[in-house]
Amino acid sequence: MPIFAFRAVQFVQRCSNWQQAVRLACKPLEEQCLVSQEYAEAIIAETEESGPWYILTSGFAMPHARPEQGVLSQETHLSLLRIRDNVLFEGHDAVGLLIVLAAGNGSDHLAKIQQLTQWLDEENRLEELLATDNETALLNAIH
């Protein structure tokens, strides 16, 4: 059982590009009024300017922007997107798992990143998540 809760878990076969993947991963947080639409656009703009610095390991990325760029909550929230056919970030590893981090404040996000990476390291969970090929398998791997 995760030590935190995902606000959304999505599984899709493919995304046409990394921008679509970022927008799709952010969408549930927008629908729950936890981030504005500008949040996904801020992530995309930063990526286009500085590259996908949030790719943490092969196959896994944690896109996020600063809280003032569209986070509407004081708490930190996570949205998970599994893409069966990995999406390509030009010049970088392809990614099949995105976890959007919407930090309510600057100090909370480092602790959340540490908790999340620790959880992903346990029992080879990251590899298990990246191997899922349907929504049921994804949900089972999370819990």
Side-chain angles (χ1 to χ4, degrees), residues 33-118:
C33 299
L34 300 170
V35 301
S36 68
Q37 184 176 356
E38 289 75 30
Y39 192 67
E41 299 311 313
I43 294 169
I44 290 167
E46 177 68 24
T47 304
E48 289 171 344
E49 184 177 312
S50 303
W53 50 268
Y54 47 74
I55 295 178
L56 301 183
T57 188
S58 181
F60 171 57
M62 188 183 298
H64 58 283
R66 292 187 304 277
E68 64 272 14
Q69 292 178 290
V71 178
L72 303 175
S73 173
Q74 294 300 311
E75 297 176 23
T76 296
H77 300 284
L78 300 168
S79 175
L80 184 148
L81 172 64
R82 168 71 178 111
I83 308 164
R84 193 199 68 191
D85 297 341
N86 291 357
V87 67
L88 184 62
F89 285 79
E90 192 173 329
H92 298 274
D93 290 338
V95 170
L97 180 67
L98 279 82
I99 299 178
V100 169
L101 172 74
N105 61 66
S107 61
D108 199 27
H109 90 282
L110 289 178
K112 266 308 181 211
I113 290 171
Q114 288 176 327
Q115 289 174 346
L116 181 61
T117 54
Q118 180 181 15

Side-chain angles (χ1 to χ4, degrees), residues 2 20 30 48 91 116 125 128:
Q20 181 190 27
E30 288 175 36
E48 289 171 344
L116 181 61
R125 191 169 282 118
E128 184 180 355

